[in-house]
Amino acid sequence: MRLLAQGLTNAEIAARLVVSVRTVDNHVRAVLDKLDAPTRRHAAARAEELGLLREGET
């Protein structure tokens, strides 16, 4: 979610995490569904509202 919120493309996220772009596609789709967000930008805003982007919290 943090990488998504930073505006990285799926290809850029895949390269950073050393996974396939298809894997990232599937995870991004799941995140959008879970957050009921139509776009990546909406997902990032929703994650921020929910406190999911705060550093150091689990």
Side-chain angles (χ1 to χ4, degrees):
M1 188 63 238
R2 284 189 183 100
L3 298 176
L4 186 74
Q6 290 174 14
L8 273 61
T9 65
N10 287 0
E12 292 168 330
I13 293 169
R16 287 235 189 135
L17 300 179
V18 192
V19 297
S20 74
V21 174
R22 186 162 176 96
T23 297
V24 174
D25 289 341
N26 289 332
H27 285 286
V28 168
R29 193 172 311 115
V31 166
L32 294 177
D33 287 345
K34 289 276 186 185
L35 295 176
D36 195 27
T39 67
R40 297 162 75 96
R41 188 171 291 197
H42 283 98
R46 184 74 178 121
E48 181 64 37
E49 289 171 8
L50 295 171
L52 300 176
L53 299 177
R54 294 186 189 127
E55 293 291 326
E57 290 185 16
T58 56

